[in-house]
Amino acid sequence: MLVFSNRLPEQMNPMPVRNDMSIWRGNNAPALVWTLPEEIPITGSAFFLTIGASGSLLVAKDTTSGSLLIDPTSRELRWDYTTAESRLIPAGQIAEYEIERHTAGVEITEIYGFMTGLGGLNTDASPSEGGSLDFSNSDNSNLQLMGWI
């Protein structure tokens, strides 16, 4: 039986690894860390993290710009997010993420999963007194209401 693959031998990770993550909304620590499996080549690769929900891109980070850090020794990707970035993740299991590897013109999703937003009720997140949900906010949908006015 012949088996054909559209991947080069050094790219033979057959399917992306699923790794659901959680982030506490309104916090800026601890960093989110992913450990890359041994079969994923690091040398000559750039990694891209994208997080989206309800058809909207919420976060885009990459090792090329340094907004996503890689430690080749421990094989870890690290995202040191800000308080504002953690607030972009909607509460619940609504957002999804992918980590893609780019090398020699090839783009391969290596890790994916849900990015679950937890909490977010801390005092600096409260809407202003007399505030109400902003139904004109284009990020709001019938599945989620994200903005306060």
Side-chain angles (χ1 to χ4, degrees):
M1 170 187 234
L2 291 175
V3 176
F4 295 95
S5 173
N6 60 352
R7 292 189 179 204
L8 301 173
E10 69 274 8
Q11 300 167 333
M12 289 305 292
N13 184 17
M15 289 294 293
V17 174
R18 181 170 177 175
N19 185 13
D20 294 343
M21 303 290 281
S22 296
I23 190 169
W24 202 268
R25 301 169 64 242
N27 289 191
N28 60 4
L32 292 182
V33 178
W34 294 266
T35 301
L36 298 170
E38 288 294 325
E39 63 270 10
I40 296 175
I42 293 176
T43 305
S45 297
F47 293 88
F48 294 79
L49 166 67
T50 54
I51 303 173
S54 298
S56 296
L57 178 65
L58 303 174
V59 173
K61 302 293 175 180
D62 61 82
T63 56
T64 305
S65 70
S67 58
L68 182 64
L69 304 174
I70 187 161
D71 180 343
T73 305
S74 64
R75 302 187 58 79
E76 291 181 341
L77 284 173
R78 176 185 180 105
W79 176 36
D80 291 306
Y81 52 88
T82 66
T83 301
E85 288 172 328
S86 71
R87 287 205 191 288
L88 293 173
I89 309 304
Q93 196 176 55
I94 296 171
E96 297 178 90
Y97 80 91
E98 290 186 4
I99 295 176
E100 198 174 62
R101 180 173 57 89
H102 295 192
T103 183
V106 177
E107 301 178 14
I108 299 173
T109 299
E110 299 288 5
I111 304 172
Y112 75 102
F114 284 104
M115 181 66 66
T116 302
L118 303 172
L121 299 176
N122 31 26
T123 57
D124 62 345
S126 300
S128 60
E129 186 175 322
S132 61
L133 285 173
D134 179 4
F135 293 98
S136 65
N137 183 330
S138 62
D139 290 330
N140 293 332
S141 73
N142 60 349
L143 299 176
Q144 61 189 18
L145 294 169
M146 298 171 68
W148 287 89
I149 57 171

